[in-house]
Amino acid sequence: MSMHLTLSHRDALYYLHHAPARDGAPTFVFVNALTGSTEAWEAAVAPALREAGFGTLSWNFRGQADSPFDPGLELTDAVIVSDLGRLLAELRPARPILVGLSIGGLYAARAVLGRAKAEGLVLLNTLREIGPRIDWVNHAMARIVAHGGVGLFMDALFPLLVNADFAARARENFLNGDYTPLPPEHGHMNLMRNAAHTDWALDYSALSLPTLVITGLQDRVFLDREIVDRLYAQLPDARREDWAQAGHLLPQEAPARLADSLARFGAETGA
């Protein structure tokens, strides 16, 4: 059921929480990408996992859809990680497995290192280091959104983020020219300008819980295979899937395959 976790008179987190239908089954807790929302998970992945008896918890960061915030608050990574920890502490999902897409995986990993309760961790296109190329992209994204909203950002980067077939099917929904600048106080603008300054340094060797890493090899923006290999090797209890026919947006590009991989990991973790 959809609810709000109230944080203050101006701040709240929108979430959808379903308990597992099977005794002992884990709950997948989804952590969005920067411009994501619960819809990315609830379109196909979360329903498939619930059909298999797992629990699910999807939620939106403050500044994302239906999650209000104090306009004077800067929505930094520390705020998001703290919100995730509070959500887990308040709702107490059964046997949580954190699933983060892109920067959402960094937030999930930081929550784990901050002693948030979790029995497993899934990193979807997360492993990266911020060199000059990605730093440029991160700052450019904030500028693009300021000038033309998320629509302009997606028009500019979408074919570089996803596999060619998925881009071709989605083409008619793009490049329509309906761009609206976002003011500095808008939630997405707040999130993106702060994300550009996020420190991605992480002690991967301290993530001792079972971890699944899935990488879409068609990602032409954030993927550096050498860095993925090196960071993956630091994880103490990890397994890995490289998907040749997928890019960055795995829940949209390959929802059935993602649900199957998560279900297998959930069964293994819950054994």
Side-chain angles (χ1 to χ4, degrees):
M1 90 177 37
S2 63
M3 298 283 289
H4 281 87
L5 174 64
T6 299
L7 305 174
S8 75
H9 69 287
R10 288 188 170 183
D11 301 73
L13 301 176
Y14 172 80
Y15 69 87
L16 299 100
H17 184 203
H18 298 263
R22 291 186 289 105
D23 289 342
T27 299
F28 290 96
V29 180
F30 302 109
V31 188
N32 295 339
L34 201 59
T35 58
S37 74
T38 57
E39 293 179 359
W41 311 103
E42 295 295 332
V45 175
L49 290 168
R50 291 194 291 268
E51 185 68 23
F54 296 101
T56 63
L57 171 57
S58 55
W59 62 291
N60 287 340
F61 307 156
R62 281 190 266 185
Q64 293 181 337
D66 300 315
S67 289
F69 67 102
D70 186 323
L73 177 67
E74 289 298 318
L75 300 174
T76 65
D77 54 329
V79 168
I80 297 168
V81 172
S82 175
D83 286 351
L84 173 54
R86 181 162 176 183
L87 191 73
L88 292 170
E90 294 274 352
L91 301 184
R92 298 184 181 181
R95 308 193 65 188
I97 295 175
L98 307 188
V99 182
L101 174 62
S102 191
I103 198 171
L106 178 71
Y107 300 149
R110 286 225 172 122
V112 169
L113 294 177
R115 301 191 181 279
K117 178 185 177 183
E119 295 197 8
L121 176 65
V122 182
L123 304 176
L124 306 176
N125 287 320
T126 294
L127 300 185
R128 73 189 72 156
E129 292 176 346
I130 310 303
R133 178 178 62 84
I134 294 182
D135 179 69
W136 182 314
V137 171
N138 287 344
H139 283 81
M141 287 193 300
R143 299 282 185 92
I144 292 170
V145 170
H147 283 281
V150 176
L152 181 58
F153 157 66
M154 293 302 288
D155 278 0
L157 291 184
F158 194 79
L160 300 176
L161 288 170
V162 301
N163 73 74
D165 289 342
F166 187 77
R169 293 195 301 272
R171 172 63 177 79
E172 65 182 27
N173 299 319
F174 287 80
L175 299 174
N176 296 318
D178 185 17
Y179 307 130
T180 303
L182 288 188
E185 65 271 16
H186 191 283
H188 279 148
M189 195 64 252
N190 192 324
L191 287 164
M192 295 199 80
R193 71 169 172 265
N194 281 289
H197 301 285
T198 296
D199 182 2
W200 282 71
L202 195 69
D203 184 4
Y204 288 95
S205 67
L207 294 169
S208 57
L209 74 175
T211 302
L212 172 63
V213 173
I214 302 180
T215 303
L217 301 183
Q218 295 288 320
D219 181 353
R220 298 171 182 85
V221 177
F222 298 107
L223 174 61
D224 185 320
R225 296 195 197 188
E226 180 181 347
I227 290 174
V228 172
D229 290 344
R230 176 159 45 79
L231 297 181
Y232 174 80
Q234 297 176 28
L235 292 164
D237 183 8
R239 59 284 292 143
R240 176 174 175 177
E241 298 180 17
D242 290 344
W243 294 2
Q245 301 306 317
H248 193 72
L249 304 180
L250 299 179
Q252 289 87 1
E253 294 178 67
R257 184 176 183 182
L258 179 57
D260 287 345
S261 291
L262 293 177
R264 284 195 301 272
F265 182 63
E268 171 192 333
T269 305

